Amino acid sequence: MSPTIHPNRSIYDLDRHEWAELLQGEPQYRIEQIWTGLYRQFSTPAELTNLPKKLRETLTEKLPPPLLVSQEQTTDDRKTIKWLFELPDGQQVETVLMRYRTRDTVCVSSQVGCAMGCGFCATGQAGFFRQLTSGEIIEQVARASKRLKLLGGPERVSNVVFMGMGEPMANYDAVTEAITRLNSESNIGARSFTVSTVGIVPGILKLADFPLQVNLAISLHAANNELRSELVPINKTYPIEALMDAVERYLDSTSRRVSFEWAMMESVNDSDADAEQLSELASSVDAHVNLIPLNPTPGWPTRGSSMQRVREFQEVLAENGVNATIRDTRGSDISAACGQLANRTGQVGKGRRNVVVPSVSSHLPS
Ligand code: SAH
Ligand code: SF4
């Protein structure tokens, strides 16, 4: 076997051709055994007992190590599990599995950190560290699926949302490659993926032509440029008008309804007037709105709106014919607020292994 695999990647980065190279001298069917193990059973080669022991050992030596569990937390009701995974280079990302009555959703990270600098977001506060590879994204889904099965659940997660750390549109190729492979090899339906973006127009336009019919969520948070540029700095590059044009192009090409995410911040974007402005934008592109009270983070003093205000806001939207869902605040007893896991472990800013910026997880699509 040739030891050509880059150490700083996931086993899920290898394609069939690379596996064939790695397995030179082995019977041809080994490739299929390993491929099925990875994508259907979500097992590493070391766990595949249908492989000879010697081969398992050699492969384990040559392949990148699996994601290391740096921390794992489960909610009291055991319906939400949050992992802090360590990558081979010591970077860390967060992944969350959420079990609902009718579906099991995994929220994955697409980057280590994020360069978009949204002040209210813990990931944005800490900055950008590196891109994840498609394999590193797939491996998060694989690990969540494997756990689900161990818990007596279905064979795999039913939904994948890109709402963890990072801006998926700023790592477009890896994200779409991960979706494509999970769709074709693990049989996760295209419509079960949701890509959430802060509003990167070129990414939205590209996704409009992506052959798989995935869902698109736009993190809007403000319906006028002045406030939005304050909350979401990339709005200065892609202002609301350009964003709405891109959404329209996306609709023309996919006929898929988009959703607007709105983190409700007390006295910032939660007034009736804000709801009126949002109604106009949402109606213009027939968007569904998801409301979630802001999770407070240490770097942003604003509080989340009260549930009563969230409901009143929802009513104004409803009066204007706009459907809005109030997200459940999943996992609040395991620091679902963005970045709190990192802060609790005291790992932020202590060297290269300590660039944890979890940003998930109570703000997920229904
Ligand atoms: N970068 C992408 C996806 C990751 S963030 C995006 O911004 O859409 C996933 C979602 O979490 C986004 O809607 C984001 O606005 C929201 N979010 C970030 N920090 C939050 C916080 N402190 N409270 C509530 N939602 C937050
Ligand atoms: Fe990045 Fe999304 Fe956080 Fe903004 S909200 S900093 S785009 S992860």
Side-chain angles (χ1 to χ4, degrees), residues 12-13 15 39 133-135 138 171-183 210:
Y12 286 92
D13 280 313
D15 59 23
Y39 290 95
T133 64
S134 58
I138 296 170
N171 192 12
Y172 185 90
D173 291 348
V175 165
T176 47
E177 166 66 28
I179 293 173
T180 305
R181 194 172 285 188
L182 284 164
N183 173 252
F210 181 53

Side-chain angles (χ1 to χ4, degrees), residues 179-208:
I179 293 173
T180 305
R181 194 172 285 188
L182 284 164
N183 173 252
S184 65
E185 307 306 316
S186 298
N187 217 8
I188 299 177
R191 286 157 194 247
S192 307
F193 292 90
T194 299
V195 176
S196 175
T197 179
V198 68
I200 310 282
V201 164
I204 297 169
L205 296 177
K206 244 171 150 182
L207 199 70

Side-chain angles (χ1 to χ4, degrees), residues 35 48 59 217 221 296:
W35 198 257
L48 294 176
L59 284 175
H221 307 313

Side-chain angles (χ1 to χ4, degrees), residues 4-25:
T4 51
I5 304 308
H6 193 287
N8 187 18
R9 294 196 307 174
S10 160
I11 35 172
Y12 286 92
D13 280 313
L14 276 68
D15 59 23
R16 279 179 201 268
H17 177 73
E18 286 168 298
W19 276 110
E21 249 179 46
L22 194 68
L23 290 164
Q24 261 170 33

Side-chain angles (χ1 to χ4, degrees), residues 58-72:
T58 331
L59 284 175
T60 305
E61 264 170 40
K62 291 187 190 298
L63 289 166
L67 294 175
L68 255 177
V69 177
S70 182
Q71 253 199 58
E72 179 178 319

Side-chain angles (χ1 to χ4, degrees), residues 316-334:
V316 177
L317 296 176
E319 280 160 18
N320 290 317
V322 173
N323 284 325
T325 306
I326 301 176
R327 291 267 173 85
D328 71 354
T329 46
R330 265 299 165 119
S332 48
D333 57 331
I334 54 167

